[in-house]
Amino acid sequence: MRRTITLLALLAAPILTAGQVFAADPPKPAVAAAAAASTAPAVPGLWLLTDYPSQTVRPGEATTIRFKLQNSGIAPETLAVSVDGVPAGWKIELMGNGQPIAAAMAPTNDSVALQLRVDVPKDAKPGSQNIVVHAKGATQSIDLPMTLTIGKEVPAKLAIKTQLPSLIGTSKSSFDYTLSVTNDSGKEMTVALAAQSPGNFQTTFTEGYGTNEISSLPIEAGASKDIKVKVRPPQEIKAGDYPVLVKVSAEGATAEQKVTLQISGQGALSLTSKDGRLSGEAQVGKTADYMLVVGNDGTAPIENVEMSGSVPADWKVEFNPKTLPSVAPNEKKEVKVSVTPSEKAIAGDYVASFRAGGRGDSKSADYRITVTTSTLWGMVGIGIIAIALLVLLGAVARFGRR
Amino acid sequence: MSDNVIEARGLLKLYGAARAVDAIDLDIRRGEIFGLLGPNGAGKTTTILMMLGLTETSGGSVSVLGFDPVRQPLQVKRRVGYLPDAVGFYDHMTARENLTYTARLLAIPRRESHGRIMEALKNVSLDDVADKRVATFSRGMRQRLGIAEIVMKRAEVAILDEPTSGLDPHATFELLEMIRGLKKAGVAVLLSSHLLDRVQSVCDRVALFNKGKIALMGTVVELANQVLGAGHPLLVEASGIDVAAALRGVEGVQQVVSAGEGAWRVVADRDVRAAVAQRIVSAGGALTKLSDLQPSLEEVYTHYFEGERHAA
Amino acid sequence: MQREGSPFTGLGPVFIKELSDHLTSVRMMVLTLFVIVFGAFPVASSLQTLRTVVGADAYLYLRIFTIEPEQVPISFITALNFIIPLMAIGLGFDSVNSEFNRRTLSRVLSQPIYRDALLLGKFLGGLMTLAVGLLALWLIVFGAGLLLLGIPPRGVEVARAFGFLLVAIAYGGVWLSVSMLFSVVFRSTATSALCALGMWLFFFILWPMIANALVLGFAPREITTVDQYVGIQQLAIALQRLSPGTLFSEALLGLLNPETRTLGFMLPQQMRGAIPNAPLPLDQSLLLIWPQVTGLIAGMIVVFAAAYVVFQREEVRA
C-alpha cells in the first residue's frame, strides 16, 4: 500500500510541473486534473516515469536506469532530453534503444523507453547525488528528479530449492529432479551448475524443458529459473538410498540442494544358450535338444519365469522345465528346449524365438536352427545306383565274357 | 595230349532250325596246314569262330591246344592267331601302332614288344612301311600285316579265313609263301578258302565242307582216290609203241586212256611207274615222259558236287 | 556255363587306346572349339558383370557359372547343359559300329579279351575324354576368375565347383551311353548319329511341351484343393525330370546356388520362419541334389547295360 502511494506522489510531481507550465491555458490542465482524479493513465499530458526514482549505484560500475516518456492524450511532440546535476567525474548518458540520444518523441497514448547509463567513478564518495532528467519541447517541458545513492556492493546471493527432493526408481530408471535457482543479488549472474554424486553416477543438467545439456546459465537479478538434473545410476548398483548434492555457484555465492535417489532392486533376465552359441542343428522330423540358460543379471529375484517359444509352422517346441519358480540375482538356471522341425520342413536355416518371461522382466532370444534332411534318401540313392550296377552285373553274368 | 592241336567232336551250330555246322568231327595235327574248303555259306567261318570262342556252340565239343574255347576263350585266343576274312586295321594308326595295340592286348611287356613287332614286320616285308598309316596300305599289305600280327603273337595255331580272296596272283603267291613260312616255324595253320587251286598247293590236308557237313577229309590224293576213284594217275609219253597194248597185264594198272598223239593217261591203284617204264622199254618203245599226275582238287571238288547234285 | 578269366582282361589297353584316339582326333578338336565358343562367351560376360558388382558375395566364384549376363542371354551352365550332350554324342555315336565297318572287331576280339572289356574300355575312354575336356574348361574358368576377379576362391567354393565337375561328367556319361547304345544297335554310323541327335533334340525341344500337354491332360478341370494343385505341380516336375537335362540343371542349381533349399515344388507355409538367402551347408546341398545325381548315374549305368546286352548278343561276323 505504501508503495502505491509513493508512486502516486511521484506521478503527481510532473503533473504539478506540467500544471505550472500550462498555467497560461487553464481549461486543459483542468481537464487533465479531472481525468487524473478518475483514472491515472487517462490524465492527459506528458510524463517522464521511472520505477525507482531513488537508486543505488556502485562505484566503478555502470548502472542502467530505465525510464520512459509517456504521452497521454496529447499531440506528439519532439522533446529534447538532457540530464542536469551530473556530479563531477560521473558520466551519465541518455540512451534510447541502446544508442545515445538527444531527443525523444512519444506518440499519443503511448510511451518511449529510455535509459540512463550512469558510470560512477571508482573513487566516488559515498552519499547521495540528485540528478534531474529534462525533457523540453516547443510547448512543454517536464522534469524527472532522481536520487542516486552511492552504496556498498550488495553481496551476490543464490537460492536453490526443489519441490521433489526424493525420487524412487530402479537401477535402470533415470531420475529427473526439477530445481529452481533464484538469483537474489542485484545484478545478472552466470550460475555454474555442478552435482556431487557417488561414483559412476551420471548427472546431466538441462534448462527447464529444453533438451540441451548445460553447465551454467545466466539468471537476471532477482529472477529464478528452473533447471532439470537428470541422474542415471549405474545399472549394477544395489538397492538403497543415494544422495546427490546439486550445487550452484556464481561470483562467490553458492547454494546447494540435496536430492535423493531411492533405488529399489530389479531383476533383469538374460537368455542365452549354454555354450553361448545361438544356433544349432536339427534333423527333419526329429527332436533336437538345446540347453538354454536363464540368468538374472539384475538386483532382485524374478518370480515365476515362464518359457515360451515361437517356431515355424508345424514345428513343435517344448521346454523342460516349462516354468522356473524364481531366479535369484546372479543365478543361472538351465532349461532344456526340445525343437521338432516339421516332417515337411526343407533343409536350411530357420529362426526360432525363445522367450523367458517373469514378473518384472522378460527376455527373448532368436535361435538360428539349421535343419538338415535325413541321409536316408541319400542311402536310397546309393541303393538305386547299386540296383543299376546289379542290373549291369546281371547282364555280365548272363551275357558276359564273349 | 595227343598230337592234335584242334579236335572237334560233333560240333554243332544252329541258327534257329538251320544247321550252319552240322555235327562235324575234325582233327588238325601239329605242324600241318589244313584247308577248310567249300562254297560260301558252307559253315567254314562259323566253325572257325566257334574254335576261337567268338561264337557260341550249340552242341558237341571242341578243344584247341587242350583248351575249351567255350569255357576258356582267353587261353585259346592267347595262343591262336586269327586272320579274319578281309581283315581291318585302324586306318588312322601306323602299322607299328596297330601291332603295338595288339601287343598291349596280349599283355606283352613293353620292352619285349618293340623287338617282336619289328621282327614280325620284317618277316612279312613290311618293315619299311612300319610307320606309315594303314590307310595307305593295299589289300595285300593288310593281309600281310595280319600275318605279322600272328607272327608277333607267336601263335601255336594260325587260323586264316579266306586269306587270299581279292588278292592279285603275285600277292597271293607271296602270302602263300608266308603261310608256308608259318608252317616252317612249327605253327599249325588252319585256312579256309573257296579258291581251291591256290589252297591245294599249300595244304597238307583238306576238309571239304558242304551244307554244314564235312563231306570229305584227307590229303588231296586221298580225296582224289575217294572221289575220282584213282590213286595214282600217270602221264606216259612214248613213241613207237602202243602203250595201251603194252601195259596190258601189268599188275595194278586199271585203265589206260589215250591222251593225244603219243600220250597216254594211266590210272593205277598203286605206284606203278617202275613197272610201266620197264614194260615200255622192253617192248621197244622210246619212253619220253613218265610223270606222276597230281590229282586236281578242282577236279575232285567239281566231281564231288556234281555227284551230290545228281544224288539230290 | 561259366567262362574263365576276368571279363576285364585287356580293359586297360582298350581304355588307353580309345582315350588317345579321342584326344588326338580331329573330331575332338572340333568339339573343343565348339565348347570354347559356347562356354567362353557366357563366362567372359559373367566375369564382366561380376567385376562391376560391388559388395561382398560369399560365393563369387560360383556366380561365374550361374549368372545370366546381360549381353549374352545364357549362363555358363545353360550353355553346358546344351553342349555336353553334343560332345558325348560326338564321342560315342560310332564307337562300336565303326569297328564293324572297319572290320577290326573280329581281329581285336580274337585277342585274349572279352567283349565286355572292349565296350567298357570304349565307354570309359569316352568318359575320360569328356572328363579331361570338362576339367580343362573348368580350370580355364577358374583361372579367368582368378585373373579378372583378383581374389582366390574359398575352399567351399572349390568343393562345390568340383561337385559341379563331377555332375557334368555324369551327365555327359548318360549321353555317352545313349550314343553308344545307338552305335551298337545300328551298323550305320549315320543312322546312329541321327538317332542320338534326334533324342537330344527331343529332350531339349519336344519333351517340355509334351510334358506340359500331359500335365494338362491329367489335370482335373477345376482345381479346388491345395492338394490337387500340389499334385499337379509334382506331376509336372516329375515328368520334366525324365529328361537328363532337367536333372543336370537341378543338380547344378543346388550345387552352385547354395541358397537353394529345394528343387521341387514348395508350399509357402514351408518357407515360414525360414531365413531367406541363408546358404545351405555343403553336405545339405549334396543331400538335396543327391536324387538328381543318383538319377544321372543310375541312368548312365542302365543305358550302358542295355548297350552291353545288345552288343553281347550280336554276332561278331561282319
Side-chain angles (χ1 to χ4, degrees):
Chain A
M1 207 52 211
R2 191 196 305 251
R3 205 169 152 179
T4 322
I5 292 165
T6 323
L7 189 68
L8 282 173
L10 279 168
L11 283 169
I15 295 169
L16 288 173
T17 20
Q20 288 162 357
V21 171
F22 292 111
D25 193 2
K28 271 183 186 170
V31 176
S38 56
T39 50
V43 178
L46 277 169
W47 325 95
L48 277 169
L49 303 171
T50 182
D51 285 358
Y52 309 111
S54 176
Q55 285 211 353
T56 305
V57 293
R58 271 175 284 280
E61 280 187 14
T63 306
T64 303
I65 299 165
R66 290 167 216 281
F67 67 103
K68 60 182 180 182
L69 176 65
Q70 175 86 40
N71 175 349
S72 297
I74 64 169
E77 190 179 357
T78 300
L79 298 166
V81 288
S82 59
V83 185
D84 274 2
V86 178
W90 291 37
K91 201 173 141 205
I92 296 179
E93 257 183 309
L94 272 164
M95 317 275 282
N97 214 3
Q99 300 293 325
I101 53 159
M105 180 190 278
T108 307
N109 287 333
D110 206 343
S111 65
V112 177
L114 299 165
Q115 296 97 37
L116 266 184
R117 190 183 152 91
V118 184
D119 277 325
V120 184
K122 275 193 178 152
D123 51 357
K125 302 249 164 31
S128 291
Q129 301 286 343
N130 292 317
I131 57 167
V132 180
V133 179
H134 298 289
K136 189 174 166 122
T139 57
Q140 306 198 40
S141 170
I142 45 179
D143 292 340
L144 172 60
M146 280 194 264
T147 307
L148 301 175
T149 308
I150 301 191
K152 287 257 166 58
E153 193 173 342
V154 180
K157 192 163 176 256
L158 291 169
I160 181 166
K161 61 180 179 188
T162 180
Q163 286 188 307
L164 305 165
S166 185
L167 296 176
I168 301 171
T170 70
S171 62
K172 282 184 186 171
S173 332
S174 87
F175 294 77
D176 291 0
Y177 299 91
T178 305
L179 298 156
S180 169
V181 182
T182 310
N183 178 1
D184 282 339
S185 54
K187 58 177 179 175
E188 183 178 317
M189 286 196 295
T190 300
V191 180
L193 310 167
Q196 270 181 8
S197 56
N200 294 339
F201 279 52
Q202 262 187 9
T203 51
T204 52
F205 293 94
T206 52
E207 186 192 1
Y209 296 98
T211 51
N212 292 333
E213 274 187 37
I214 54 171
S215 61
S216 63
L217 86 165
I219 303 176
E220 285 178 28
S224 71
K225 275 190 176 169
D226 281 353
I227 58 165
K228 202 184 261 175
V229 185
K230 188 187 279 262
V231 184
R232 273 187 173 282
Q235 294 244 344
E236 64 276 12
I237 196 155
K238 291 212 173 68
D241 288 3
Y242 296 90
V244 171
L245 201 59
V246 180
K247 246 184 181 168
V248 292
S249 58
E251 299 178 16
T254 59
E256 43 183 56
Q257 168 73 44
K258 193 176 96 178
V259 295
T260 307
L261 291 84
Q262 278 185 296
I263 295 174
S264 56
Q266 205 216 2
L269 280 176
S270 71
L271 183 62
T272 54
S273 71
K274 202 174 175 188
D275 53 2
R277 233 167 24 112
L278 282 173
S279 62
E281 288 195 353
Q283 238 188 47
V284 167
K286 294 219 172 118
T287 305
D289 294 339
Y290 312 112
M291 292 309 289
L292 297 179
V293 176
V294 178
N296 186 349
D297 296 339
T299 48
I302 299 174
E303 312 280 316
N304 203 15
V305 176
E306 194 151 336
M307 304 299 298
S308 60
S310 75
V311 287
D314 295 336
W315 289 35
K316 273 185 235 129
V317 60
E318 273 174 25
F319 295 92
N320 184 25
K322 177 90 176 103
T323 48
L324 302 165
S326 168
V327 182
N330 292 325
E331 190 187 12
K332 294 204 183 299
K333 280 191 173 168
E334 288 186 2
V335 175
K336 189 172 83 176
V337 56
S338 306
V339 177
T340 315
S342 152
E343 286 284 350
K344 288 182 179 169
I346 287 158
D349 289 3
Y350 293 82
V351 173
S353 188
F354 302 136
R355 186 172 181 277
R359 212 166 288 154
D361 194 20
S362 71
K363 194 70 180 257
S364 64
D366 281 349
Y367 207 83
R368 190 182 181 119
I369 296 177
T370 303
V371 172
T372 62
T373 45
S374 153
T375 50
L376 178 72
W377 288 106
M379 293 297 170
V380 171
I382 289 173
I384 288 172
I385 290 179
I387 288 170
L389 281 174
L390 279 179
V391 168
L392 185 61
L393 286 180
V396 169
R398 172 72 184 77
F399 301 104
R401 300 184 193 163
R402 295 201 184 208
Chain B
M1 201 183 104
S2 72
D3 217 22
N4 292 334
V5 289
I6 299 177
E7 284 179 1
R9 293 287 173 270
L11 190 58
L12 185 68
K13 178 67 180 181
L14 302 176
Y15 286 117
R19 290 174 164 243
V21 175
D22 193 357
I24 60 165
D25 294 340
L26 195 66
D27 289 323
I28 290 155
R29 297 180 196 125
R30 191 169 290 278
E32 74 172 347
I33 300 178
F34 191 94
L36 284 180
L37 307 178
N40 289 329
K44 301 180 307 254
T45 303
T46 308
T47 307
I48 288 172
L49 292 178
M50 284 194 289
M51 286 171 179
L52 285 164
L54 288 178
T55 195
E56 303 277 285
T57 59
S58 308
S61 72
V62 61
S63 153
V64 178
L65 295 164
F67 296 103
D68 179 359
V70 176
R71 295 195 55 228
Q72 302 157 301
L74 295 189
Q75 300 287 354
V76 170
K77 291 196 278 189
R78 198 162 286 141
R79 292 166 176 82
V80 176
Y82 175 51
L83 179 68
D85 182 12
V87 66
F89 286 89
Y90 298 108
D91 283 348
H92 61 282
M93 286 157 59
T94 65
R96 194 210 299 267
E97 282 168 352
N98 266 294
L99 290 194
T100 307
Y101 179 41
T102 310
R104 296 231 175 103
L105 290 176
L106 285 163
I108 297 173
R110 247 160 232 268
R111 57 197 140 71
E112 218 181 295
S113 65
H114 178 73
R116 273 168 78 166
I117 288 165
M118 284 319 289
E119 193 187 328
L121 286 173
K122 200 168 210 144
N123 210 317
V124 297
S125 329
L126 285 176
D127 47 338
D128 51 338
V129 290
D131 292 318
K132 285 228 167 98
R133 284 166 171 248
V134 176
T136 63
F137 279 23
S138 70
R139 176 133 196 191
M141 288 163 89
R142 282 165 203 246
Q143 295 293 88
R144 269 149 62 194
L145 189 55
I147 300 282
E149 189 179 84
I150 294 169
V151 171
M152 180 206 68
K153 194 170 180 180
R154 293 186 181 159
E156 294 171 50
V157 177
I159 297 180
L160 318 176
D161 196 359
E162 301 281 3
T164 57
S165 69
L167 296 187
D168 61 62
H170 178 67
T172 307
F173 175 76
E174 279 183 344
L175 195 76
L176 292 177
E177 278 307 303
M178 283 164 197
I179 292 170
R180 283 199 190 93
L182 284 177
K183 184 191 172 181
K184 238 172 258 162
V187 180
V189 180
L190 172 68
L191 63 87
S192 84
S193 182
H194 62 278
L195 301 170
L196 304 170
D197 51 339
R198 304 204 178 140
V199 172
Q200 186 182 2
S201 59
V202 290
C203 286
D204 296 318
R205 291 196 304 140
V206 295
L208 207 58
F209 261 72
N210 185 33
K211 293 178 185 165
K213 287 186 178 148
I214 293 180
L216 297 163
M217 182 157 63
T219 61
V220 176
V221 176
E222 279 167 7
L223 291 196
N225 275 346
Q226 225 172 314
V227 175
L228 305 173
H232 291 262
L234 296 174
L235 183 67
V236 180
E237 283 180 23
S239 55
I241 189 172
D242 181 4
V243 172
L247 291 186
R248 210 163 289 141
V250 175
E251 205 175 342
V253 172
Q254 293 165 322
Q255 195 186 1
V256 180
V257 191
S258 171
E261 183 64 36
W264 290 266
R265 188 185 151 92
V266 178
V267 177
D269 60 354
R270 67 194 76 155
D271 193 348
V272 293
R273 273 177 292 182
V276 167
Q278 197 185 353
R279 182 67 65 91
I280 290 172
V281 170
S282 61
L287 186 62
T288 52
K289 186 175 183 181
L290 176 62
S291 67
D292 201 358
L293 264 184
Q294 283 293 326
S296 160
L297 203 49
E298 188 114 35
E299 224 173 321
V300 174
Y301 192 80
T302 320
H303 198 270
Y304 175 75
F305 283 109
E306 263 169 23
E308 284 287 300
R309 227 170 285 130
H310 287 306
Chain C
M1 187 166 22
Q2 184 62 51
R3 290 182 182 82
E4 287 177 1
S6 160
F8 302 120
T9 313
L11 180 63
V14 175
F15 170 70
I16 287 170
K17 188 239 167 200
E18 289 297 322
L19 184 60
S20 75
D21 271 8
H22 283 315
L23 291 181
T24 54
S25 69
V26 177
R27 188 189 303 169
M28 186 64 192
M29 280 163 68
V30 171
L31 286 174
T32 310
L33 202 71
F34 205 75
V35 168
I36 287 174
V37 168
F38 258 76
F41 271 119
V43 167
S45 322
S46 305
L47 284 169
Q48 216 62 43
T49 311
L50 285 175
R51 288 178 77 181
T52 61
V53 171
V54 196
D57 188 334
Y59 293 97
L60 192 63
Y61 270 81
L62 301 185
R63 308 293 181 231
I64 304 174
F65 296 95
T66 51
I67 64 164
E68 233 172 67
E70 280 166 29
Q71 306 93 313
V72 187
I74 52 168
S75 68
F76 182 58
I77 56 171
T78 317
L80 281 190
N81 197 349
F82 193 70
I83 312 165
I84 288 176
L86 208 60
M87 271 181 87
I89 290 170
L91 290 174
F93 78 95
D94 65 345
S95 61
V96 175
N97 46 18
S98 76
E99 296 266 355
F100 270 110
N101 297 339
R102 283 183 296 192
R103 297 178 167 275
T104 47
L105 188 65
S106 51
R107 187 178 60 82
V108 169
L109 286 181
S110 74
Q111 309 309 326
I113 61 164
Y114 285 116
R115 290 188 208 187
D116 312 43
L118 188 70
L119 194 70
L120 189 62
K122 278 178 175 291
F123 178 72
L124 292 181
L127 199 63
M128 193 64 186
T129 310
L130 265 178
V132 167
L134 288 171
L135 179 70
L137 193 63
W138 188 82
L139 287 175
I140 289 170
V141 170
F142 258 72
L146 269 176
L147 212 63
L148 293 177
L149 299 177
I151 49 164
R154 299 184 304 140
V156 66
E157 286 178 282
V158 175
R160 279 176 182 274
F162 188 69
F164 150 77
L165 189 62
L166 294 184
V167 171
I169 292 170
Y171 178 54
V174 173
W175 284 102
L176 184 66
S177 54
V178 165
S179 65
M180 279 184 70
L181 174 64
F182 285 123
S183 89
V184 170
V185 170
F186 299 107
R187 275 301 150 81
S188 154
T189 52
T191 313
S192 153
L194 215 59
C195 283
L197 288 174
M199 197 154 158
W200 174 59
L201 287 178
F202 170 80
F203 274 123
F204 267 87
I205 296 168
L206 225 51
W207 180 246
M209 296 186 227
I210 292 175
N212 270 342
L214 283 177
V215 169
L216 285 181
F218 277 111
R221 194 155 302 163
E222 269 180 58
I223 297 169
T224 47
T225 66
V226 173
D227 281 349
Q228 270 179 330
Y229 181 69
V230 171
I232 284 164
Q233 291 294 332
Q234 279 171 345
L235 176 69
I237 291 170
L239 284 175
Q240 292 289 354
R241 281 181 182 159
L242 291 179
S243 161
T246 308
L247 295 181
F248 177 66
S249 48
E250 282 187 349
L252 291 198
L253 191 65
L255 261 180
L256 299 178
N257 271 343
E259 295 84 5
T260 309
R261 289 185 173 217
T262 178
L263 297 170
F265 178 73
M266 194 168 50
L267 288 172
Q269 67 235 39
Q270 283 174 292
M271 269 324 275
R272 212 166 287 159
I275 299 172
N277 291 329
L280 286 187
L282 178 58
D283 57 334
Q284 287 302 306
S285 285
L286 288 180
L287 270 178
L288 179 68
I289 64 160
W290 190 237
Q292 275 72 15
V293 176
T294 304
L296 286 176
I297 293 176
M300 174 176 85
I301 293 172
V302 165
V303 177
F304 176 75
Y308 174 82
V309 169
V310 175
F311 181 54
Q312 296 286 23
R313 292 170 62 95
E314 263 182 13
E315 282 294 330
V316 172
R317 198 192 308 226

